[in-house]
């Protein structure tokens, strides 16, 4: 099982990006998915979570601007980021709990995608 994050880039403040996290391999289902971010010199922080039932949670710093979603048919999760601020600049990582064939349930990380917001 692998996770591939994509969609990062350089945008001006106030702009938007849509990050994707695609799971591949012998996947039965994505149980839950998180998005984290890590800015230089900072610890990795959780910004959004979507549960198996679709319940979402957000860090206070991104509420109202970030939206996490998932497409179970495509085994892909998304993070829509609106009203970007320079302080959103970071490497964004997806993390997922995935049930794969054979009954295995594992925790997987994507490789990260850079989001840079210019003022």
């Amino acid at each position: 099982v692998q996770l591939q994050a994509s969609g990062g880039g350089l945008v001006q403040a106030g702009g938007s990006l849509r990050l994707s996290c695609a799971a591949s391999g012998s996947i039965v289902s994505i149980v839950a998915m998180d998005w984290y971010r890590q800015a230089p010199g900072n610890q990795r922080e959780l910004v959004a979570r979507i549960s198996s039932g679709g319940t979402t949670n957000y860090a206070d710093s991104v509420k109202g601007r970030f939206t996490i979603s998932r497409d179970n048919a495509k085994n892909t999760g998304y993070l829509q980021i609106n009203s970007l601020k320079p302080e959103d600049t970071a490497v964004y990582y997806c993390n997922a709990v995935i049930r794969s064939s054979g009954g295995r349930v594992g925790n997987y990380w994507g490789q990260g995608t850079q989001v840079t917001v210019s003022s």
Side-chain angles (χ1 to χ4, degrees), residues 7 11 17 21 28 35 40 52 57 62 78 83 85 87 90-91 96 98 100 107 115:
V11 296
L17 284 173
C21 180
V28 174
W35 283 93
S52 57
N57 294 97
V62 307
Y78 304 96
S83 302
K85 304 175 181 180
E87 52 262 43
V91 179
I98 294 174
S100 56
N107 184 277
V115 172

Side-chain angles (χ1 to χ4, degrees), residues 1-4 22-25 27 98 108-110:
V1 174
Q2 291 186 328
L3 286 180
Q4 179 74 36
S24 61
I27 298 165
I98 294 174
Y108 301 90
W109 286 92

Side-chain angles (χ1 to χ4, degrees), residues 98-118:
I98 294 174
R99 180 174 289 109
S100 56
S101 60
R104 173 184 169 83
V105 178
N107 184 277
Y108 301 90
W109 286 92
Q111 84 286 7
T113 184
Q114 175 72 47
V115 172
T116 303
V117 185
S118 62

Side-chain angles (χ1 to χ4, degrees), residues 60-116:
D60 288 342
S61 59
V62 307
K63 281 181 181 177
R65 300 188 299 118
F66 288 20
T67 303
I68 189 171
S69 61
R70 56 195 287 175
D71 184 332
N72 292 330
K74 295 182 178 179
N75 289 324
T76 300
Y78 304 96
L79 186 68
Q80 178 69 41
I81 309 175
N82 298 327
S83 302
L84 277 158
K85 304 175 181 180
E87 52 262 43
D88 294 320
T89 295
V91 179
Y92 284 70
Y93 299 89
C94 56
N95 173 269
V97 176
I98 294 174
R99 180 174 289 109
S100 56
S101 60
R104 173 184 169 83
V105 178
N107 184 277
Y108 301 90
W109 286 92
Q111 84 286 7
T113 184
Q114 175 72 47
V115 172
T116 303

